[in-house]
Amino acid sequence: MCLRFETMKVVSALAAVEHLLTTGAVRRGDTLLDSSSGIYAYALALACHRHGMRCHIVGSTTVDATVRIQLELLGATFEQMEPSADLKLDQKRRVARIQEILAAHPEYHWMRQYHDAVHRLGYRAVADRVRAELGPDTPLTVVGGVGSGVSTGALAGFLHDRGGDVRLAGVQPFGSVTFGSEHVADPEIIIAGIGSSIPFGNVRHELYDTVHWIAFEAALSGSVDLLRRHALFAGLSTGAAHLAARWERSADPRRTVLFLAADTGHRYVDSVFARHAEAVPLDELAPRTVDSRAELALPWSLMSWDGAGAPAAARF
């Protein structure tokens, strides 16, 4: 099963802004500030537009013209990092720029999407919908990108709160510190939005049962397969989640497997879908099962996490 969003982070951005307004942390007319690789920028701009707030985004070099134009029309102020082949450097530059802006404008409210647990709140309603659809007794495995921890982690956390048998499989790119793969480089790209080169403060590592590290080439195959087989046009992280979900389903067919599709495929037309001839049939792909992070290897590795805590480099 697929939990499909046009822009998943609208769920977390709207709930976070509404909570901040209700608690008096911000007021209408205030400026909300954050860094983004694309999806969260659009989500925060929508939330600010709805509630009469100003929005300032420090964007990744990967943010494309489609997102930039929408941000402009929604009234957001957008500044973009200079082109860089190194997305780790891009992310660090964005964080540094946020600090510069806050020094000049201490009245701005930094949303801290990577650290503040307030972004988890929107997934409570999603968890309620999932349980209403599936029933309380359905054994469930949730699969999706770890990201900042407020998508799969928040959803699984709220599902745990409602009882029942819930497992969580996180998807990570190689090169991400979040689950300790920073020593393994992906020659194509770190999949923006599901991994990080810096520690994230709102990832609850203990919620994860397994972790799938999936490289660009395998994620591309998953995205192309989703469109060819199921007519689902979704982003690169969804392709990776699709691949992991198929494996989780084959490992235990008695469980219902629900994977998250965080966004549409429009911003991946050139980088992924135009390269569909490179896609490998998914039946030819299988993970390398490892016992330690030292054994991680491209294009796909799988490890039991079993509720362990954060690796040293990922502690915030």
Side-chain angles (χ1 to χ4, degrees):
M1 296 181 63
C2 179
L3 182 56
R4 175 82 156 106
F5 296 89
E6 180 177 348
T7 307
M8 182 183 67
K9 289 188 177 180
V10 170
V11 172
S12 56
L14 276 173
V17 172
E18 288 166 1
H19 177 79
L20 292 171
L21 284 167
T22 300
T23 58
V26 299
R27 296 176 297 177
R28 291 182 183 275
D30 285 354
T31 298
L32 305 184
L33 168 71
D34 217 338
S35 163
S36 174
S37 59
I39 296 178
Y40 184 78
Y42 178 58
L44 185 60
L46 286 172
C48 288
H49 187 270
R50 171 177 288 187
H51 291 290
M53 318 288 290
R54 295 184 177 91
C55 179
H56 189 115
I57 298 293
V58 178
S60 168
T61 186
T62 61
V63 176
D64 62 18
T66 301
V67 173
R68 291 197 303 270
I69 291 168
Q70 289 181 87
L71 292 177
E72 180 179 348
L73 291 174
L74 287 167
T77 302
F78 178 74
E79 53 180 282
Q80 188 166 19
M81 293 293 98
E82 293 295 323
S84 171
D86 185 348
L87 292 186
K88 293 182 181 181
L89 179 60
D90 174 79
Q91 195 166 37
K92 291 176 181 176
R93 283 175 174 170
R94 282 187 277 140
V95 173
R97 178 59 184 148
I98 290 287
Q99 297 302 326
E100 292 176 356
I101 294 170
L102 287 171
H105 297 279
E107 74 277 12
Y108 286 8
H109 182 87
W110 182 20
M111 291 299 292
R112 303 176 80 245
Q113 67 148 324
Y114 302 137
H115 308 303
D116 197 331
V118 71
H119 293 90
R120 301 172 57 83
L121 299 177
Y123 292 93
R124 181 183 288 112
V126 181
D128 289 341
R129 177 70 181 272
V130 169
R131 271 303 174 209
E133 292 283 338
L134 298 179
D137 300 322
T138 302
L140 180 64
T141 299
V142 177
V143 182
V146 174
S148 61
V150 291
S151 51
T152 49
L155 177 58
F158 286 122
L159 287 168
H160 276 298
D161 292 344
R162 283 145 184 75
D165 181 359
V166 181
R167 289 179 57 82
L168 178 57
V171 176
Q172 280 277 276
F174 292 95
S176 171
V177 304
T178 309
F179 279 83
S181 67
E182 64 273 13
H183 60 290
V184 184
D186 185 338
E188 286 275 10
I189 192 173
I190 291 180
I191 304 173
I194 69 171
S196 176
S197 62
I198 60 174
F200 282 168
N202 52 11
V203 175
R204 293 178 58 190
H205 293 77
E206 72 278 6
L207 290 174
Y208 291 85
D209 297 287
T210 59
V211 178
H212 294 255
W213 289 270
I214 297 178
F216 175 87
E217 61 184 88
L220 179 151
S221 298
S223 296
V224 170
D225 182 83
L226 261 182
L227 186 53
R228 279 178 170 160
R229 190 191 304 261
H230 301 290
L232 180 57
F233 184 50
L236 193 58
S237 66
T238 305
H242 172 49
L243 195 62
R246 281 170 52 93
W247 181 263
E248 293 288 336
R249 174 69 174 171
S250 68
D252 191 348
R254 299 168 298 175
R255 305 182 67 83
T256 295
V257 177
L258 178 71
F259 72 95
L260 274 64
D263 61 349
T264 65
H266 293 88
R267 64 176 178 156
Y268 299 99
V269 169
D270 293 329
S271 60
V272 174
F273 294 100
R275 297 170 58 177
H276 60 84
E278 301 173 31
V280 176
L282 298 197
D283 290 340
E284 297 180 13
L285 294 172
R288 168 190 171 97
T289 301
V290 302
D291 295 317
S292 74
R293 289 177 284 114
E295 302 172 58
L296 293 176
L298 277 67
W300 180 6
S301 292
L302 168 64
M303 191 171 86
S304 294
W305 196 260
D306 294 331
R315 293 171 192 159
F316 179 74

